[in-house]
Amino acid sequence: MSEPSKPQGRKFQLPEHLKVYKDVWVIVEQERGIVHSVSLELLGEARKLADKLGVEVGAVVLGAEGPDLNRICADSFSYGADIVYKVTDPVLSDYRTDPYCRVMTDVVNAYKPEIVLLGATTLGRDLAGAIATTLATGLTADCTELDIYMDNRSLAATRPTFGGTLLCTIQTLAYRPQMATVRPRVMSMPERDDSRVGRIVEVFPQLREDDVVTKVLNFIADREQNEAQLAFADIIVAAGKGLGKPENLKLAFDLAKVLGAEVGVTRPLVQAGWTTFDRQVGQTGKTVRPKLYIAAGISGAIQHRVGMEKSDLILAINTDPNAPIFDFAHQGLVGDALTILPALTDAFSRRLSVNRLAG
Amino acid sequence: MHIVVCIKQVPDSAQIRIHPVTNTIMRQGVPAIINPFDLFSLEEALRIKDKVGARVTVLTMGPPMAETSLRKALSLGADDAVLLTDRKFAGSDTLATSYALTSAILKLSEEDPVDLVFCGKQTVDGDTAQVGPGIATRLGFQQLTYITKIEDLNLDAKEIVVQRRAEGGVQVLKTKLPCMITMLEGTNTIRFGKMDDMFRAARYPLKTWSKDTTGAEETKVGLKGSPTVVSKVFVPKPLAQKATMIEAEGGSPEALASAAVEAIFGAQPKLADDLLARAAAGL
Ligand SMILES: Cc1cc2nc3c(=O)[nH]c(=O)nc-3n(C[C@H](O)[C@H](O)[C@H](O)COP(=O)(O)OP(=O)(O)OC[C@H]3O[C@@H](n4cnc5c(N)ncnc54)[C@H](O)[C@@H]3O)c2cc1C
Ligand SMILES: Nc1ncnc2c1ncn2[C@@H]1O[C@H](COP(=O)(O)O)[C@@H](O)[C@H]1O
């Protein structure tokens, strides 16, 4: 991104030929019939931006024709879309950069949205980087906040930089569309409203499989493997270096078991080989937004914080009363995680089993 | 086989501090390192070189001091190095950066056609993960991001099979060279350099190219070629309040734990209900 050298941002007026660009779009990410939750979060966010601008929300749904795709179109309306661009072709059944990029470039050029939003997922980042290049426009990655500067109807996209030590607001002034990717679980999930309806615009891009160089030989779904499903957990018990040695990680797993929770960790634990990368929370790991996050022996470094600070309730356990994590946790407990974790496991099992007997 | 690895010199973000009064980044004394994500891609390129033979060129765009990162990469086993440096590139965003790097890759291709471009997954300072896809799109190369494993590379058929980390699982993809690959972190470990490579790196006459060397158009680089502008930089608001501290008579772990459970259930009654319902159902 460039240095702040054009500070007249708000004063900039859009050239006439770019004023035909209207509406706020979300590219709805689906893989094998499953919609990524970030797309629904983005429809809620797009709704807010479109209402400010007085325009409509468009959802772009790409894939092979079928019941899954129809359901996803209906869901897009329920979560806030006014128009669904339903782009169907057998070639689009699996995500591949090249056909997706070609089709999206054409659809954007045909219908001219002013804002295009995608999730900052492996698919969203892969596709956004490619289409921002074919469209020769600005793209702001990994945003945590979106707003409109009404002075000139421009998108103000805010994102962390330097590992979260600073935030910066980035704008795309003289180019359209304005593009942004947004981290999952940063925007809140909108209420579903099944009474909402809208228009469907069908697009048939007429692709030929022979023109696509990259072939999908196989897809190994995570459910068939043993990967931690951190991103979707309601409760996370997270462990840091304060646990001292790898054997003690068991204390976190014991508590997680009682709570039906997942175990997360800080980066040093992954680097030291205590556990696998799929459990790392933070800037270079997963962003999580559980209802309860229990942080044991974690100092609260900024790179960890950016991945978990949106949790509904954070309980931090740390021997050091001055640990930075107490500056943003909701509840704090000064104590030794090695004794507190087992005591918590006991206390929770007692509370929960008392209820089972009573119930 | 010619492989280009794009590396960026970045400040070690672990050591960046914010000036408490002026709220600006204090860069003085912060060491510059090769973007950590780029090392996974460099290592993968060097492994291909070891296995099937290849020429590995490292390329960076940056200020003259970025030379040290190129020499570091040479000491690890890269064969050639290009420093793309020009005041006209200053202020480039990702669109302009991918354009400038592409112009250099095209120039390298004139001498020895490039079959593979490796980029890092993302940088730790820009953090956008856009430059790699930008380069692939401009070159018309197949784009393979978040790769966890190169399963097979067949030079005769110019075919490559890789595993790619997707959201809900792993894609196994087969495609044709040329392509642009970004490796996922943690997929390999960067090697130690060999003694003779270190000596060679120290005095290697690396190439220093300007905008005019690669023929990049002036309007497409630097601030002029960058659609995005930074309109504001600020320090995150400290969250509203500090944690409420849980205390208990006597301070035994048991007493503290019970107090914590009550505090959690008190603050999150809905969560408590869910948990209790699940427990009652014997889950
Ligand atoms: C580019 C970059 C990216 C990074 N990305 C991430 C990331 O994604 N995720 C991440 O987590 N980190 C990341 N980091 C690392 C981050 O900066 C911190 O180093 C890391 O989060 C610290 O982990 P920690 O809290 O477990 O360890 P420490 O900082 O060592 O903290 C240990 C804490 O445990 C406490 N403690 C000690 N003994 C006990 C005990 N018996 N009981 C209770 N408490 C105890 C100590 O008081 C201390 O506060 C990144 C760093 C860089 C440079
Ligand atoms: N100035 C640069 N010089 C060389 N390579 C770069 C440069 N900027 C970005 N890259 C490459 O593009 C990748 C992604 O960068 P970014 O889009 O900034 O996250 C990096 O890991 C590098 O491989």
Side-chain angles (χ1 to χ4, degrees):
Chain A
M1 86 215 69
S2 47
E3 300 292 323
S5 65
K6 297 179 195 167
Q8 77 280 25
R10 280 163 188 261
K11 280 195 224 117
F12 179 87
Q13 289 304 321
L14 198 62
E16 230 22 70
H17 72 282
L18 292 177
K19 288 190 179 157
V20 295
Y21 283 80
K22 277 211 163 57
D23 294 354
V24 182
W25 279 15
V26 175
I27 300 182
V28 176
E29 172 174 341
Q30 64 103 6
E31 229 156 2
R32 316 235 142 188
I34 300 166
V35 174
H36 199 294
S37 54
V38 69
S39 302
L40 307 176
E41 293 159 15
L42 283 179
L43 284 168
E45 196 61 22
R47 185 75 264 159
K48 291 180 207 158
L49 300 176
D51 288 345
K52 271 197 183 167
L53 289 163
V55 297
E56 293 189 304
V57 173
V60 188
V61 179
L62 304 104
E65 181 69 71
D68 279 342
L69 215 64
N70 291 332
R71 173 178 45 79
I72 294 167
C73 292
D75 283 351
S76 301
F77 291 126
S78 306
Y79 282 96
D82 301 303
I83 314 173
V84 170
Y85 297 87
K86 182 182 171 197
V87 188
T88 50
D89 195 296
V91 170
L92 299 175
S93 63
D94 273 300
Y95 175 72
R96 285 168 294 174
T97 316
D98 188 29
Y100 268 66
C101 173
R102 266 192 276 156
V103 165
M104 273 315 305
T105 307
D106 290 346
V107 176
V108 166
N109 282 331
Y111 296 97
K112 303 194 176 3
E114 59 195 299
I115 294 173
V116 177
L117 306 177
L118 299 93
T121 58
T122 54
L123 187 159
R125 286 173 139 213
D126 184 276
L127 181 60
I131 54 184
T133 311
T134 54
L135 296 167
T137 192
L139 164 62
T140 308
D142 262 23
C143 301
T144 51
E145 215 184 303
L146 299 174
D147 198 5
I148 302 287
Y149 282 168
M150 280 318 283
D151 317 44
N152 54 15
R153 297 171 60 91
S154 64
L155 177 70
T158 300
R159 67 187 303 270
T161 182
F162 285 107
T165 27
L166 285 177
L167 292 172
C168 61
T169 302
I170 295 177
Q171 290 181 277
T172 295
L173 295 172
Y175 300 78
R176 288 294 179 272
Q178 309 162 84
M179 293 183 58
T181 63
V182 177
R183 275 209 155 195
R185 279 162 294 281
V186 168
M187 305 299 179
S188 49
M189 182 65 84
E191 288 285 332
R192 188 190 169 98
D193 177 358
D194 284 325
S195 67
R196 282 188 50 93
V197 286
R199 313 192 299 287
I200 291 195
V201 175
E202 298 215 51
V203 181
F204 302 102
Q206 315 274 355
L207 301 168
R208 286 175 21 156
E209 182 58 41
D210 286 351
D211 295 339
V212 184
V213 180
T214 300
K215 307 291 176 196
V216 181
L217 299 185
N218 196 1
F219 186 88
I220 309 153
D222 287 339
R223 270 158 285 138
E224 293 156 24
Q225 296 186 329
N226 249 341
E227 288 245 340
Q229 296 299 317
L230 263 194
F232 300 98
D234 272 344
I235 304 179
I236 292 174
V237 179
K241 242 163 71 186
L243 259 57
K245 49 181 193 227
E247 296 79 67
N248 292 336
L249 204 52
K250 182 172 178 296
L251 303 177
F253 276 98
D254 289 346
L255 175 57
K257 185 144 183 255
V258 169
L259 293 172
E262 280 284 2
V263 171
V265 297
T266 59
R267 184 161 90 152
L269 271 55
V270 176
Q271 285 177 326
W274 293 24
T275 182
T276 46
F277 174 69
D278 52 315
R279 296 201 182 275
Q280 182 183 318
V281 174
Q283 185 205 346
T284 46
K286 300 239 161 52
T287 305
V288 298
R289 198 174 185 166
K291 299 190 174 110
L292 174 62
Y293 191 93
I294 300 178
I298 294 178
S299 60
I302 187 75
Q303 293 91 349
H304 187 75
R305 174 177 164 178
V306 293
M308 46 67 81
E309 65 185 340
K310 297 266 177 149
S311 307
D312 291 348
L313 181 66
I314 300 169
L315 166 69
I317 305 162
N318 199 305
T319 40
D320 174 7
N322 296 318
I325 194 153
F326 291 129
D327 294 341
F328 62 94
H330 304 93
Q331 295 175 350
L333 201 164
V334 176
D336 183 349
L338 301 184
T339 55
I340 299 289
L341 280 175
L344 267 178
T345 307
D346 275 352
F348 271 114
S349 14
R350 247 179 296 121
R351 257 312 279 273
L352 297 174
S353 65
V354 164
N355 184 258
R356 173 151 26 163
L357 296 179
Chain B
M1 179 82 168
H2 187 190
I3 306 177
V4 172
V5 184
C6 296
I7 62 172
K8 186 178 180 190
Q9 188 175 62
V10 297
D12 186 351
S13 81
Q15 302 199 29
I16 283 183
R17 297 283 172 275
I18 303 297
H19 192 281
V21 179
T22 57
N23 274 350
T24 49
I25 296 175
M26 301 197 291
R27 286 171 193 261
Q28 292 99 316
V30 177
I33 53 172
I34 297 180
N35 176 38
F37 291 104
D38 299 349
L39 295 175
F40 301 108
S41 286
L42 177 60
E43 173 62 25
E44 207 60 34
L46 294 172
R47 286 186 186 184
I48 293 176
K49 173 182 163 176
D50 293 345
K51 223 175 175 172
V52 299
R55 201 158 79 88
V56 175
T57 303
V58 282
L59 166 65
T60 194
M61 178 178 106
M65 69 176 255
E67 181 186 325
T68 50
S69 289
L70 291 174
R71 292 209 188 273
K72 172 80 191 168
L74 288 167
S75 79
L76 295 171
D79 301 286
D80 195 7
V82 178
L83 172 64
L84 190 59
T85 188
D86 199 316
R87 298 200 92 107
K88 300 222 165 76
F89 292 139
S92 292
D93 73 356
T94 53
L95 196 73
T97 301
S98 71
Y99 173 77
L101 290 170
T102 300
S103 74
I105 295 169
L106 288 173
K107 184 165 167 65
L108 282 167
S109 267
E110 284 170 13
E111 273 174 40
D112 185 2
V114 175
D115 307 283
L116 276 175
V117 172
F118 276 97
C119 286
K121 185 189 93 170
Q122 66 198 57
T123 51
V124 293
D125 59 347
D127 221 349
T128 75
Q130 273 156 226
V131 171
I135 292 173
T137 305
R138 290 176 188 284
L139 290 170
F141 280 25
Q142 295 302 307
Q143 174 172 323
L144 303 170
T145 55
Y146 307 100
I147 300 307
T148 52
K149 192 175 174 200
I150 298 184
E151 277 189 5
D152 190 36
L153 177 61
N154 181 335
L155 285 188
D156 298 323
K158 293 219 159 222
E159 271 175 0
I160 186 167
V161 179
V162 298
Q163 295 189 3
R164 170 174 189 268
R165 175 79 249 172
E167 277 315 298
V170 173
Q171 274 184 325
V172 183
L173 299 172
K174 177 177 178 168
T175 193
K176 294 244 181 220
L177 303 183
C179 40
M180 190 287 305
I181 297 179
T182 73
M183 296 300 296
L184 196 67
E185 66 275 17
T187 43
N188 58 36
T189 313
I190 189 73
R191 61 194 56 199
F192 291 102
K194 293 203 289 277
M195 210 42 116
D196 40 345
D197 282 330
M198 291 183 192
F199 286 126
R200 194 179 61 94
R203 47 191 163 71
Y204 185 81
L206 46 83
K207 302 186 169 87
T208 302
W209 289 355
S210 69
K211 181 187 79 57
D212 292 335
T213 322
T214 69
E217 288 172 45
E218 181 140 4
T219 53
K220 293 193 177 170
V221 299
L223 283 174
K224 274 194 213 129
S226 300
T228 59
V229 288
V230 177
S231 58
K232 198 165 83 180
V233 179
F234 55 106
V235 177
K237 270 201 294 289
L239 285 192
Q241 77 259 52
K242 294 206 165 212
T244 312
M245 298 314 262
I246 291 165
E247 276 152 17
E249 279 271 340
S252 70
E254 291 72 27
L256 283 166
S258 302
V261 172
E262 293 322 312
I264 289 169
F265 280 12
Q268 285 277 59
K270 220 171 139 251
L271 180 75
D273 290 347
D274 286 355
L275 275 175
L276 293 167
R278 279 204 350 197
L283 291 175

